[in-house]
Amino acid sequence: MATRKIVQVGDELLRKKSKPVKDFDEDLWQLLDDMRESMYKNDGMGLAAPQVGVLRRAIVIDVNGMFAELINPVIVAQEGEDIEEEGCLSVGSFHGRVKRPYKITVKACDRYGYPFTLTGEKYLARCICHEVDHLDGVLFIDKTLDKDKYFGKK
Ligand code: NI
């Protein structure tokens, strides 16, 4: 395992749409292992492959001590609303409030290509939504209710 450099806001790579993972092979496992290590090293709750420069639909999360890898995740159901502050390892120290669904259901594959379904509430739902956004080139600063605070700081 090795830590990888986290791509920072301003880099166009973060704005690109990631492609589905097709090969559940050693390259993917290495990527996932490195993403996990990079997330923990930076005290993150989640990390998406484009944040380490790889435009593939893979994310890792760790919410409330539950680690998970989600490959080709698709949010298939959502309900409710929840507003909390978020940050991002690609966005420096800024934290801002974002409205997210309170509860989501996501379909994804594990590192071997086996499909599974996960339902999460509150921070788990928030974290998955945030990371799935990264796969579509969307950052939380696009959605934050505190945009003026972010752009005012610059
Ligand atoms: Ni992020």
Side-chain angles (χ1 to χ4, degrees):
M1 279 202 285
T3 58
R4 299 197 191 187
K5 195 165 159 258
I6 311 284
V7 178
Q8 294 301 307
V9 65
D11 190 320
E12 276 309 301
L13 205 127
L14 287 177
R15 295 309 193 170
K16 295 196 166 138
K17 198 171 159 73
S18 292
K19 293 196 170 92
V21 170
K22 285 188 189 140
D23 300 319
F24 295 81
D25 58 8
E26 284 181 11
D27 286 345
L28 175 68
W29 304 336
Q30 183 70 60
L31 170 67
L32 291 167
D33 289 345
D34 290 354
M35 285 169 63
R36 181 173 55 191
E37 189 167 313
S38 304
M39 173 177 72
Y40 286 143
K41 189 191 166 206
N42 292 286
D43 293 321
M45 290 171 72
L47 196 65
Q51 291 182 276
V52 293
V54 178
L55 290 169
R56 289 287 168 180
R57 303 187 79 82
I59 65 175
V60 296
I61 59 166
D62 188 321
V63 182
N64 303 325
M66 191 201 81
F67 175 77
E69 297 168 344
L70 291 87
I71 318 303
N72 299 335
V74 178
I75 294 167
V76 293
Q78 59 179 66
E79 62 181 83
E81 273 181 17
D82 184 58
I83 296 175
E84 287 285 355
E85 280 202 346
E86 284 181 27
C88 178
L89 295 180
S90 294
V91 179
S93 62
F94 174 73
H95 285 68
R97 292 168 302 149
V98 182
K99 188 177 5 175
R100 300 280 189 190
Y102 181 78
K103 183 178 178 182
I104 61 136
T105 299
V106 63
K107 287 190 174 184
C109 288
D110 70 10
R111 61 164 55 202
Y112 305 104
Y114 292 105
F116 66 94
T117 302
L118 177 67
T119 295
E121 294 181 358
K122 190 74 182 173
Y123 290 107
L124 180 56
R126 175 170 299 278
C127 185
I128 291 169
C129 289
H130 176 117
E131 302 311 330
V132 170
D133 273 354
H134 273 298
L135 305 180
D136 294 317
V138 174
L139 300 176
F140 87 97
I141 49 174
D142 307 338
K143 296 183 165 179
T144 181
L145 305 172
D146 300 312
K147 256 191 186 135
D148 50 338
K149 224 167 82 188
Y150 179 70
F151 292 102
K153 261 173 113 179
K154 286 189 142 180

